[in-house]
Amino acid sequence: MFKKDKNDGSRFKARAAAKYTVFNVSEPDELMAFLMKKMAGISRTRVKTLLSKRVVLVDNNIQTRHDFPLLPGMKVQVSREKHNREFRNPMLKLLYEDAYLIVVEKKEGLLSVATERQKERTAQHILNEYVKREHRNNRIYVVHRLDRETSGIMMYAKDEMTQHKLRDNWHDIVTDRRYVAVVTGEMEKDQGTVESWLTDRKLYVSSSDYDDGGKYALTHYRTIKRANGYSLVELQLETGRKNQIRVHMQLLGHPVAGDGRYGCETDPLGRMALHAFKLCFRHPVTGELMEFETPYPASFKKLVLKRNA
């Protein structure tokens, strides 16, 4: 039986503190400028390296932005050893993280949120496990969703207050949200708009061209390329209804490739050809304009390459 040492707790705290160099913020500043002042002789390149290696924390949350705004009372920590919160997952790519939110790129085949049938193979579960490495009570909060078979950019909040602010002010905070899709057939117009009222029937979403009590949905589209019986289309959402793009493309007579639920009879890519490639929004706390964009999936572009005769 071990003897209780009265100093065990204090020694543990000392060891934990020794892992970090800690700086307290006394006046407003940007993270890079702050670190260069506090860490005498450090170069801008070295600060960027520390940020990219995810070893700089602000108020116990990893920060990678060199221009992150610091406020009096905040605490900045720089790890002295390899950080144990490196994020690696074949289904999720971490694009951005700060004290308030996380932005990721999700692969097709992964649920955004947990369901009664599936608790663990979800982006929500993966990110929950990630933030709990820092503290067991940490968790992430759902803000919006992507369908299981839709890939692309999405964000989660890291606290309930940020979640409510994002959800309650979504249309004011989000400035641009775009998708790219491969649809069947050659689009008749180079650009246009689709509007309807959508009703969730659980197994599918129905559409009406008049207000039948459903939710109003508005989608803008631009045709990028036509070839091989398909069209590459960029879509911009004015509203974010469930299955909105999929239903609106079906209304135009050009369902998304691989989308059997909404009228497509072909599956050339072995997945639904829909990808959320752009998300721009005002940060719910700092007010800064945040812009995230990924390239069109290579498989989408390859499908509409013109073949030699």
Side-chain angles (χ1 to χ4, degrees), residues 251-268:
L251 287 178
L252 290 177
H254 299 282
V256 176
D259 189 4
R261 177 172 294 183
Y262 293 103
C264 185
E265 297 179 354
T266 63
D267 186 10

Side-chain angles (χ1 to χ4, degrees), residues 87 91-97 101-107 110 112 123-124 126-127 130 140 144 146 151-156 275-276 279 281 292 294:
F87 183 86
M91 299 298 287
L92 276 180
K93 180 179 180 181
L94 188 58
L95 302 180
Y96 174 81
E97 179 184 4
L101 50 86
I102 292 179
V103 181
V104 296
E105 181 180 355
K106 180 184 82 72
K107 284 196 173 183
L110 183 69
S112 300
Q124 181 182 14
I126 293 167
L127 291 174
Y130 165 64
I140 55 101
H144 66 123
L146 291 179
S151 57
I153 302 171
M154 59 186 307
M155 66 171 156
Y156 294 85
H275 177 79
L279 179 63
F281 58 92
F292 299 94
T294 62

Side-chain angles (χ1 to χ4, degrees), residues 25 43 51 70 109 112 121 143 157 175 193 212 220 234 238-239 242 256 277 289-290 294 298:
V25 181
S43 67
L51 293 170
L70 300 176
S112 300
R121 189 178 167 81
V143 176
T175 60
T193 297
D212 63 347
H220 305 289
E234 186 177 301
E238 290 268 350
T239 56
K242 179 181 177 181
V256 176
F277 79 93
L289 180 61
M290 313 288 291
T294 62

Side-chain angles (χ1 to χ4, degrees), residues 14 51 62 78 90 117 126 140 174-175 194 198 228 235 267 270 282 290:
L51 293 170
I62 292 173
V78 181
R117 291 186 177 182
I126 293 167
I140 55 101
V174 176
T175 60
V194 188
L198 303 180
N228 310 319
L235 305 118
D267 186 10
R282 293 280 176 189
M290 313 288 291

Side-chain angles (χ1 to χ4, degrees), residues 87-295:
F87 183 86
R88 291 183 181 223
N89 189 282
M91 299 298 287
L92 276 180
K93 180 179 180 181
L94 188 58
L95 302 180
Y96 174 81
E97 179 184 4
D98 65 23
Y100 310 102
L101 50 86
I102 292 179
V103 181
V104 296
E105 181 180 355
K106 180 184 82 72
K107 284 196 173 183
E108 71 279 2
L110 183 69
L111 284 167
S112 300
V113 302
T115 65
E116 288 188 6
R117 291 186 177 182
Q118 182 56 263
K119 303 292 184 185
E120 296 189 359
R121 189 178 167 81
T122 70
Q124 181 182 14
H125 176 79
I126 293 167
L127 291 174
N128 267 328
E129 292 300 301
Y130 165 64
V131 298
K132 284 178 180 178
R133 291 185 217 164
E134 189 66 37
H135 192 284
R136 64 184 181 184
N137 291 331
N138 286 351
R139 57 168 290 196
I140 55 101
Y141 296 78
V142 176
V143 176
H144 66 123
R145 308 180 186 201
L146 291 179
D147 294 333
R148 183 204 295 261
E149 296 308 318
T150 300
S151 57
I153 302 171
M154 59 186 307
M155 66 171 156
Y156 294 85
K158 293 178 74 175
D159 62 80
E160 203 165 4
M161 186 177 294
T162 302
Q163 178 196 41
H164 289 317
K165 192 166 186 179
L166 285 166
R167 282 185 165 182
D168 295 344
N169 303 281
W170 182 256
H171 296 296
D172 296 323
I173 287 176
V174 176
T175 60
D176 197 355
R177 190 178 176 197
R178 300 191 198 188
Y179 291 69
V180 63
V182 176
V183 301
T184 56
E186 297 196 355
M187 296 284 288
E188 291 76 16
K189 296 181 179 180
D190 289 339
Q191 59 185 15
T193 297
V194 188
E195 61 178 345
S196 70
W197 284 259
L198 303 180
T199 301
D200 187 356
R201 309 290 186 187
K202 291 189 177 180
L203 293 179
Y204 68 98
V205 173
S206 65
S207 177
S208 171
D209 58 4
Y210 62 90
D211 187 352
D212 63 347
K215 294 181 178 179
Y216 180 70
L218 181 63
T219 305
H220 305 289
Y221 68 87
R222 181 168 66 94
T223 305
I224 307 298
K225 197 169 186 180
R226 306 171 179 88
N228 310 319
Y230 295 99
S231 298
L232 185 68
V233 182
E234 186 177 301
L235 305 118
Q236 185 173 21
L237 298 184
E238 290 268 350
T239 56
R241 311 305 184 196
K242 179 181 177 181
N243 295 172
Q244 177 176 326
I245 290 174
R246 299 165 63 183
V247 175
H248 280 179
M249 290 300 97
Q250 182 187 36
L251 287 178
L252 290 177
H254 299 282
V256 176
D259 189 4
R261 177 172 294 183
Y262 293 103
C264 185
E265 297 179 354
T266 63
D267 186 10
L269 299 179
R271 59 158 293 187
M272 187 164 65
L274 183 60
H275 177 79
F277 79 93
K278 188 172 187 178
L279 179 63
C280 305
F281 58 92
R282 293 280 176 189
H283 194 287
V285 177
T286 68
E288 181 183 5
L289 180 61
M290 313 288 291
E291 299 182 341
F292 299 94
E293 187 169 344
T294 62

